[in-house]
Amino acid sequence: MKKRIAIFASGSGSNAQKLMEHFKRNADAEVVIILTNNPQAYVLQRADNFEIPSHIFTRHEFFQTDDVVRLLKNLQVDLIVLAGFLWLVPQSLLKAFPNKIINLHPALLPKYGGKGMYGDNVHRAILENKEEESGITIHFVNENFDEGEIIHQSKFKIEPGDTLEVVKFKGQQLEHNHFPKVVEALLKKMKS
């Protein structure tokens, strides 16, 4: 039986798209749903393009009810992937899916992690601190922002004169290249 993936995203969903592309014709796994807290998120259009169902939820539904947990349990989800999802994951979801929730972070954790450290905020801080390298981290999710066990890291060099857009582009290249492969490898390690 195919492993079943749920993707949470809050925005454009370029990494969600790479995952949907990667698993579209995969014999071992499939993306079964896209979830978002943002009714305007472009990821909803991307899901529609792949004919993958989506679910929009409110803050109340996510944090005060078990609706999202129930939905994921009913879909028999094996792995939850956070791809640009900006809310802290509630205890109810962590308990229902122990060691089955992963996140992609646009820096080399433990540096540049925590509340408010996402997207351009991360890249700006890296440039302001004149770092010579940056990268991506794929990690398990726990009750704190960006503190779960690290699964994978990839690095890139920051050249003198690199702008925010260049640093962001270098990071996205790593994300798009590594994220689907790491998700696939993780699914293969999971027990049926």
Side-chain angles (χ1 to χ4, degrees):
M1 203 166 105
K2 281 188 175 191
K3 296 278 195 251
R4 299 166 67 79
I5 305 164
I7 301 173
F8 282 71
S10 294
S12 166
S14 67
N15 280 299
Q17 172 149 342
K18 291 296 177 192
L19 290 166
M20 288 184 278
E21 287 171 3
H22 185 83
F23 290 104
K24 185 173 180 158
R25 290 185 181 83
N26 188 292
D28 301 316
E30 62 185 330
V31 176
V32 294
I33 191 166
I34 302 289
L35 300 100
T36 186
N37 57 314
N38 177 1
Q40 265 65 60
Y42 188 67
V43 73
L44 293 167
Q45 181 62 53
R46 293 181 195 269
D48 200 41
N49 294 345
F50 281 84
E51 299 179 343
I52 293 173
S54 57
H55 178 74
I56 302 164
F57 54 86
T58 63
R59 182 172 288 279
H60 173 80
E61 183 184 2
F62 194 55
F63 290 106
Q64 308 299 322
T65 76
D66 283 332
D67 293 357
V68 173
V69 170
R70 226 177 0 264
L71 173 65
L72 296 169
K73 287 287 189 187
N74 287 342
L75 289 170
Q76 298 176 305
V77 166
D78 296 292
L79 184 68
I80 297 169
V81 178
L82 310 184
F85 181 66
L86 303 182
W87 289 358
L88 195 63
V89 173
Q91 278 295 329
S92 58
L93 196 54
L94 290 169
K95 280 189 184 123
F97 294 91
N99 296 315
K100 291 183 177 180
I101 307 174
I102 65 169
N103 182 48
L104 171 64
H105 186 76
L108 297 169
L109 292 173
K111 287 176 145 185
Y112 305 104
K115 189 169 172 57
M117 293 306 283
Y118 60 88
D120 287 355
N121 297 348
V122 171
H123 304 306
R124 238 182 251 109
I126 288 165
L127 285 170
E128 284 168 9
N129 289 324
K130 300 188 182 345
E131 296 285 356
E132 293 181 3
E133 67 179 11
S134 187
I136 63 166
T137 302
I138 299 164
H139 64 93
F140 285 107
V141 173
N142 65 15
E143 61 280 355
N144 300 312
F145 280 113
D146 304 323
E147 290 182 13
E149 180 190 341
I150 292 171
I151 300 163
H152 173 89
Q153 288 187 311
S154 293
K155 300 176 183 180
F156 64 84
K157 190 165 174 36
I158 298 175
E159 304 293 342
D162 276 1
T163 63
L164 178 70
E165 290 305 313
V166 170
V167 169
K168 191 156 88 173
F169 177 76
K170 287 179 177 181
Q172 282 177 332
Q173 294 300 106
L174 287 181
E175 291 170 4
H176 294 169
N177 186 29
H178 292 280
F179 202 24
K181 293 174 190 167
V182 171
V183 169
E184 185 171 8
L186 195 58
L187 285 167
K188 282 184 176 157
K189 281 191 209 167
M190 289 178 137
K191 304 265 185 278
S192 292

